[in-house]
Amino acid sequence: MYKVRIDRFEGPFDLLVYLIESAKMDIYDIKVSEITEQYIEYLKEMEALDVEVASEFIVLAAMLIRLKSHMLLPRINDEGELVFEEDPRTDLASKLAEYIMTKRIAEMLKDREELYMAVHEKPAEDMSSYVNDPDEILMASEEQMVKAFRLFLQKKQKVTEVTKRYQRVRKEKESVEARIRIMTQKLEEKFKEKDVVSFNELLPAGADRYDVTVSFMSLLSMLKEQNIDAEQNEVYGKILVRRKTDVQQ
């Protein structure tokens, strides 16, 4: 048996939903006999506490009793044949489903109301000084206008150049491993013609600072892993690459 509080239910369907959920029943598969007994026990508790039982509670009790009786009656006709009828609980289940959905919507609206009650709006301000005279006259000479326009074009050009360079670097960005493969292939081709190859010959066409940096890092890695040497006879001088002459067999 479930103990229920008298003042916690807003109506008969509220109580019925509570009993069904407490019994862990599906509203489309209600054990009518058990739920009816629980419901009537609740009404008796109200009478014992000298609480006036509202008419809608009594109406639903009568509906449950009628439904319980109908469920207990044998479903056979006068000829003794089994009769398949629509489940008498269907109408009650439909009403319960509609009630549950309505209750959830009401709870959601209540939560939103409490949320918006905590929102404080800024008091309205007098905007007439801005609305009544929206036009602003720019007092500037022709020379100042030309100067401002030139400055705008310069800034726009810088932004365009930076954006273009950024996009090109992102598009053409190459890893050290990939550059090593390309430089190794170039060295093999160059060594067929000559013994010494300039570092500049290993750079891609139109190389920028990024390309030079990646290529130099790749060369350092190649000096450790491959049979090549490099030398630079003076500061900022040419870097020359050749095969190692003292390779141990």
Side-chain angles (χ1 to χ4, degrees), residues 139-150:
M139 302 299 295
S141 64
E142 182 178 344
E143 182 180 352
Q144 289 175 324
M145 291 290 292
V146 173
K147 184 177 179 180
F149 185 67
R150 286 177 178 174

Side-chain angles (χ1 to χ4, degrees), residues 43-58:
L43 297 186
K44 290 180 180 179
E45 186 177 347
M46 290 182 67
E47 293 176 351
L49 295 175
D50 198 21
V51 177
E52 183 179 356
V53 180
S55 58
E56 59 264 26
F57 282 88
I58 299 175

